[in-house]
Amino acid sequence: MSHVPPLGPQDSRAEFRRTVRSIMETLPDPSTVAPGDRVDRVGQVSQGTIELGFRPGRYGTSAIVGSTGGGGWDDTALRIEDAIRDKRHQGRAFPGEVVLAIDAPFGDREDCDVAMFGRTYSVMDDELKVVEEGFRRDGALTRQAKVEYPAVLVFMGLGMFGGRDPVMYLHPRLDRVLPAAFDLLERHRLDGDLIRREGAQRERIIDGLNFAGREE
């Protein structure tokens, strides 16, 4: 059992903290609970019911069970989604179809796959058994009701001195074949709930753009 009610950004945390502290005060001595047993507790706050499950354990003398050594947050997926949305008016102003090109300087292929198509997910119960899994189609292209761009070219790691060849993302609703020239690039497409990657037929195409060189 593990459930907490949703708290909005304007909701006070004071009542929630008090209730959790009260729940913790009712827990028995860990030495009186068998290692495999769980102690369930329930509390009530204005937003709903708090349901918590506890298991006995010992982590030395420190009150800190674990801590992070540092971390960061990669917003590549959000940047890509914003770029596709912000360039929509440019694409609609062009009389023909547009293959959109966007920059993703800090991301990798997995980040771009998520931004374009969506992500896989798994749901586990209290016993850490997977009870549900699937693919959530919440990418920038899968959310489009119609094909606004037949494909998107994503330039990853592009800078003043060059970068990697772009990766082409085919729109999931595209029902025709693009010109053969695009076959030279690495292509990603959504096949059911799987993201398929097709390797590039030619590499280091971008070197032909004659980027600036580094002076030694």
Side-chain angles (χ1 to χ4, degrees):
M1 177 175 62
S2 179
H3 171 78
V4 294
L7 297 179
Q10 304 301 323
D11 292 335
S12 172
R13 269 51 174 178
E15 182 187 21
F16 183 88
R17 295 192 185 99
R18 287 196 303 269
T19 303
V20 172
R21 291 193 187 101
S22 299
I23 290 175
M24 300 292 288
E25 291 173 355
T26 68
L27 295 178
D29 189 312
S31 62
T32 65
V33 182
D37 292 345
R38 186 179 67 186
V39 178
D40 295 328
R41 290 290 185 270
V42 177
Q44 195 72 31
V45 294
S46 301
Q47 294 80 10
T49 303
I50 300 175
E51 301 176 354
L52 301 176
F54 299 88
R55 295 184 185 278
R58 183 176 296 278
Y59 302 93
T61 59
S62 173
I64 300 177
V65 174
S67 64
T68 178
W73 182 57
D74 185 359
D75 63 349
T76 299
L78 294 178
R79 290 187 181 204
I80 291 176
E81 292 179 13
D82 287 344
I84 291 177
R85 182 176 59 253
D86 293 343
K87 291 179 177 292
R88 182 175 294 154
H89 68 283
Q90 297 180 13
R92 291 176 176 174
F94 188 76
E97 286 190 322
V98 174
V99 173
L100 182 66
I102 60 176
D103 183 25
F106 306 112
D108 55 24
R109 283 165 169 75
E110 286 72 22
D111 296 321
C112 294
D113 287 351
V114 170
M116 293 295 179
F117 299 134
R119 69 202 73 207
T120 57
Y121 70 92
S122 298
V123 178
M124 295 186 292
D125 61 14
D126 294 341
E127 306 299 330
L128 301 183
K129 294 180 180 179
V130 177
V131 297
E132 181 184 348
E133 56 186 357
F135 185 84
R136 186 170 291 116
R137 294 169 172 258
D138 56 0
L141 294 182
T142 51
R143 290 202 306 267
Q144 291 182 359
K146 62 179 181 178
V147 180
E148 297 186 14
Y149 315 103
V152 177
L153 280 177
V154 180
F155 290 81
M156 289 174 269
L158 186 63
M160 180 183 300
F161 302 108
R164 292 174 286 175
D165 288 336
V167 175
M168 170 165 281
Y169 284 83
L170 301 177
H171 199 289
R173 298 179 185 272
L174 186 66
D175 58 359
R176 62 191 181 282
V177 178
L178 293 179
F182 289 127
D183 294 344
L184 298 177
L185 301 173
E186 178 180 338
R187 294 181 298 170
H188 293 197
R189 60 185 176 86
L190 189 62
D191 182 9
D193 287 342
L194 295 177
I195 298 176
R196 305 288 187 185
R197 296 179 178 179
E198 301 174 6
Q201 296 181 11
R202 179 180 169 189
E203 297 182 349
R204 304 309 307 173
I205 298 176
I206 202 169
D207 291 345
L209 298 180
N210 296 323
F211 283 88
R214 292 183 175 88
E215 293 185 1
E216 300 294 340

